[in-house]
Amino acid sequence: MLRSSEAGGVVYSRLIAKEGDESTYELFIGPQHPASGHMRFIVRLEGDIIVSVDPDIGYVHRTMEKLAEGREVIKSIPLLERMTIIDSHNVTLGLVRALEKLLDVEPPPRARYLRTLLSEINRIASHLYGMGIAGIMLNHSTMFMWAFGDREVWIQLAEDLSGSRLTHTYSVPGGVRRDLPQGFADKAEKAIRYMEKRLRDYMAIFLDNPQVRARYEGVGVLRKSEASRLGIVGPNLRASGIRYDARLAEDYAAYSELEFEVPVREEGDALARMLVRVEEIKQSMSIIRQVLRKIPDGPFFSEKYLRLLPPPLREQVAKTGRVKFPGVFASLKLPEGDAVSRVEMGHGEIFYHVTGNGSTKPYRLRVVTPSFRNVILFRYLMPGHRFMDFPAIYGSLDYFPPEADR
Amino acid sequence: MSWGDALSWLLRLLLSPQVFAPLIFPGLLTALVVLLTVIWAERKIAARVQMRVGPLYVTRRLGGVLQMLADGTRYMFQEFIIPATADRLPFLFAPVLALTLAIVPFAFIPAAPGFSPIKSPYSLPAALAAISAVPLSVLLMGWSSNNKFAIQGAVREAFMGLAYEAVVFISALSMGVLYGTLDLEEAVSRQWLPGLLLNPVAAFAFFVGMVMSAGKLPFDIVEGEQEIVAGPYVEYSGIIFGIGMGLAYLKLYSLSLIYTLLFLSGWEPVVAPLYSLYPGLGGVLLFAKAYLLMLFIVFLRSVYGRYRLDQALRAGWRIYLPLSLISLLISILLRVVGVV
């Protein structure tokens, strides 16, 4: 019944020919289900074995791309960060990069470092969110509560930096909205030391717990060849042994000036995916330390736009560390042409393609989100596993439904 | 017959072991109190581990101890929906049957020396038999709901039931062999050392079987809300859902009492003043031990997640069943040597 073939590079995976057979048992999981998220899965079972899973992603209905085409480009930043509200700086950084390429403006070095800082804070918060959800998918409520409680530490840091808890709207074309607040480095150092201690606790109660290991080890194995063929991104890809990270591939923010490792694992199972996330949290913390040590002085917003401000306001911006945007900034005209950019989010690589036609609104704004690229894993990883592995694999994928339905 | 006579007759009836034990202690009323406080304690313990405060909305000063009562009241007044596709009679009958079967064991569990509602030489198998009939009614619940998730849950209950019953029965039987009696009251009096030390293997196997049977983590498989929403109880609402939820705790309570009687030397040493006041109160230690045991079992929630069904079954059949058989051998050996 179970077939697995790699012949000729074709992955039949563990898809089973019996789909549609009368002996299969069809379960519709979601959109209102404790573990489905805002989406639906059509799961077919034979006994307790999953025969096939059809993810039906269209239950969020927010049509981000189309909405973004109907408004001024600057307004699409707070709009698009709602796609992945848990990772809201990383998700818009790609858009900002694409807009900067179109508008031909470069952020000053300090702004690049500040972007890196908030990106890494967001990445940690996003991974903690993912680990918490993975915990509750195994009914491990302690992991859920711990991860969500400790996420608060990072959200607080992000709030200190950007002024808002979740939707930061921190990066704008030409720089960032606010400068580094005073005393931030101490707070960050405190948070990092706390998190290092907590990660050891997480390992003890969750990832080294024999019961959790039994649920995760060897479950939902994504082979290297499958991962590259299906176009998987993010920690899911790196857990399968492929060292790819948009932070390395695309030079954005300050990543080329910082030292960090991209954690890679060979196993490709659910446990490896979780461990890669833990390692990434550690790497992110080391990046934050480096950023706070190396951050250069200077303006945090591009001179090109600051010049549009009257001199007294310009002084005020320099003094308070907050940008008062010039009026024309709200209706920037996008020149004709295309710009693409990619950025590494907590979930994986996000890709933006913006087309301008000389008006204030983008002619076309196209996003390829990591969850949209990873959603295919439901179809390929689940079949052949027990039904109870469904939430375990789902949790380990760190899949975020609103992000896929963009 | 004057009013006074009638009243004293009523009081005598109420205080006779046949009524007092199953209805008040350790039976129905105490079980209800246990139900409320253990669920509260479970939430409080988990909250402590998880660095939060737990229930506080009702009676903030007492740590929210009345929260479960409030929840129960809410269940009571919630609309009770019977799905159009459900099989009405078994749908309504099954939870009632389950609750009844979960309370029957108290008729055989002695609360204090010489204080049991039904004095029987077979009280141990009788109590266990009543407990092991509960899964049948859960099966009926799932089947009559006519919902795919409910049927999945019912099938899981059937699988789990088979896996743990054998373990619980054989390890209990091994203690019966050790003590040379199947009477719970006798069993307590034969323990010069707690049964836990006499036969630790049986104690361990029985403990795991108990956790499995009560559906506590890590064996919280039957109502796995991440996969099958609430398993057999998914179509139930209102107070009947509350019964379904309380069922596991009732089973846990009666099994903890049996565990205490078999392995923790029951009410020994009896609190003599209480016993002389009224024999039914002699079981205070029994109750305290059983309650502590329950607290430990609900604490497991904050440590473990949920095992997969096949892993739990494999553990039940491949590890704990052989363990319980080994415990039987140990008991026979100890009996031959003449330890007990």
Side-chain angles (χ1 to χ4, degrees), chain A residues 191-318:
Chain A
I192 289 169
R193 272 207 299 274
Y194 173 75
M195 198 64 221
E196 276 167 351
K197 184 168 76 62
R198 293 297 285 167
L199 279 179
R200 285 193 288 277
D201 292 347
Y202 288 1
M203 290 305 287
I205 203 156
F206 191 63
L207 288 170
D208 283 342
N209 188 333
Q211 183 270 324
V212 175
R213 288 243 163 183
R215 287 299 302 275
Y216 271 158
E217 254 167 351
V219 169
V221 178
L222 176 64
R223 282 191 298 269
K224 203 171 182 172
S225 57
E226 260 179 88
S228 69
R229 197 186 76 90
L230 296 172
I232 306 308
V233 289
N236 299 337
L237 176 74
R238 295 193 278 276
S240 295
I242 299 178
R243 190 168 172 276
Y244 174 78
D245 192 317
R247 287 178 289 180
L248 298 178
E250 174 116 345
D251 177 27
Y252 72 98
Y255 287 112
S256 55
E257 294 152 44
L258 301 168
E259 280 174 19
F260 62 99
E261 275 172 36
V262 177
V264 176
R265 283 192 161 257
E266 292 299 322
E267 300 91 343
D269 59 354
L271 184 69
R273 289 194 277 272
M274 299 304 291
L275 290 173
V276 163
R277 291 206 173 84
V278 173
E279 286 302 315
E280 282 197 8
I281 291 178
K282 289 180 187 161
Q283 288 302 322
S284 289
M285 293 194 296
S286 112
I287 291 177
I288 291 174
R289 276 192 173 133
Q290 290 178 45
V291 165
L292 291 171
R293 210 170 48 235
K294 286 188 182 174
I295 187 162
D297 286 331
F300 60 93
F301 197 63
S302 168
E303 276 296 323
K304 186 179 172 186
Y305 296 125
L306 273 183
R307 245 184 288 142
L308 300 172
L309 287 173
L313 260 182
R314 221 179 304 165
E315 270 169 38
Q316 198 191 328
V317 167

Side-chain angles (χ1 to χ4, degrees), chain B residues 83 86 90-91 94-95 98 134-158 220-225 228-237 240-241 244-245 247:
Chain B
F91 185 79
V134 175
L136 288 178
S137 53
V138 176
L139 212 63
L140 191 60
M141 275 191 211
W143 189 256
S144 64
S145 297
N146 194 15
N147 172 311
K148 288 183 172 182
F149 293 106
I151 291 170
Q152 280 275 321
V155 170
R156 286 184 182 189
E157 174 77 29
D220 176 24
I221 289 162
V222 173
E223 55 201 57
E225 74 261 30
I228 49 171
V229 193
Y233 319 113
V234 65
E235 287 288 5
Y236 285 88
S237 50
I240 305 239
F241 177 77
M245 287 286 110
L247 209 58

Side-chain angles (χ1 to χ4, degrees), chain A residues 25-28 33-35 136-142 145-146 198 209 211 214-215 388-389 391, chain B residues 49-52 148-149 152 156 220 225-229 302-311:
Chain A
Y25 191 79
E26 204 170 44
L27 278 175
F28 283 59
H33 183 278
I136 199 65
M137 293 254 184
L138 298 186
N139 208 15
H140 200 296
S141 49
T142 302
M145 285 293 170
W146 280 6
R198 293 297 285 167
N209 188 333
Q211 183 270 324
R215 287 299 302 275
M388 283 192 82
D389 283 327
Chain B
V49 176
Q50 293 163 0
M51 306 195 304
R52 57 194 177 93
K148 288 183 172 182
F149 293 106
Q152 280 275 321
R156 286 184 182 189
D220 176 24
E225 74 261 30
Q226 277 76 12
E227 306 102 34
I228 49 171
V229 193
S302 33
V303 181
Y304 290 116
R306 182 189 293 134
Y307 268 120
R308 216 160 58 205
L309 179 60
D310 62 317
Q311 287 169 341

Side-chain angles (χ1 to χ4, degrees), chain B residues 59-142:
Chain B
T59 56
R60 174 177 278 268
R61 247 178 245 169
L62 298 175
V65 71
L66 291 185
Q67 183 67 50
M68 293 318 296
L69 200 64
D71 283 351
T73 319
R74 181 177 66 81
Y75 278 140
M76 203 67 93
F77 292 104
Q78 216 169 34
E79 187 187 359
F80 178 50
I81 301 161
I82 303 173
T85 51
D87 200 346
R88 284 181 76 91
L89 187 69
F91 185 79
L92 287 171
F93 173 67
V96 179
L97 179 72
L99 191 66
T100 316
L101 284 172
I103 288 167
V104 166
F106 296 116
F108 299 97
I109 295 173
F115 193 84
S116 51
I118 299 176
K119 182 92 182 80
S120 155
Y122 305 111
S123 55
L124 174 61
L128 286 178
I131 295 170
S132 64
V134 175
L136 288 178
S137 53
V138 176
L139 212 63
L140 191 60
M141 275 191 211

Side-chain angles (χ1 to χ4, degrees), chain A residues 103-128:
Chain A
L103 295 165
D104 193 26
V105 56
E106 269 300 314
R110 189 171 175 85
R112 288 193 287 115
Y113 272 84
L114 286 171
R115 283 179 182 181
T116 312
L117 184 62
L118 189 57
S119 275
E120 293 309 315
I121 291 172
N122 264 193
R123 192 184 319 283
I124 295 171
S126 165
H127 282 336
L128 286 179

Side-chain angles (χ1 to χ4, degrees), chain A residues 41-155:
Chain A
F41 299 97
I42 301 162
V43 180
R44 293 185 195 83
L45 298 170
E46 192 174 272
D48 199 29
I49 311 276
I50 297 174
V51 175
S52 76
V53 176
D54 279 334
D56 188 355
I57 63 174
Y59 275 86
V60 191
H61 291 309
R62 297 195 297 185
T63 58
M64 290 299 170
E65 292 176 344
K66 192 67 200 165
L67 283 174
E69 286 161 21
R71 58 193 70 201
E72 283 74 27
V73 277
I74 199 83
K75 292 181 187 163
S76 57
I77 297 171
L79 171 74
L80 284 162
E81 70 186 4
R82 268 132 183 103
M83 275 193 303
T84 317
I85 204 153
I86 55 169
D87 200 2
S88 62
H89 183 246
N90 281 322
V91 74
T92 50
L93 191 51
L95 173 67
V96 171
R97 285 285 301 147
L99 294 180
E100 279 172 351
K101 283 179 189 171
L102 262 183
L103 295 165
D104 193 26
V105 56
E106 269 300 314
R110 189 171 175 85
R112 288 193 287 115
Y113 272 84
L114 286 171
R115 283 179 182 181
T116 312
L117 184 62
L118 189 57
S119 275
E120 293 309 315
I121 291 172
N122 264 193
R123 192 184 319 283
I124 295 171
S126 165
H127 282 336
L128 286 179
Y129 183 95
M131 284 175 74
I133 293 287
I136 199 65
M137 293 254 184
L138 298 186
N139 208 15
H140 200 296
S141 49
T142 302
M143 185 62 218
F144 175 67
M145 285 293 170
W146 280 6
F148 273 69
D150 294 340
R151 195 168 166 259
E152 206 62 29
V153 173
W154 299 99
I155 291 175

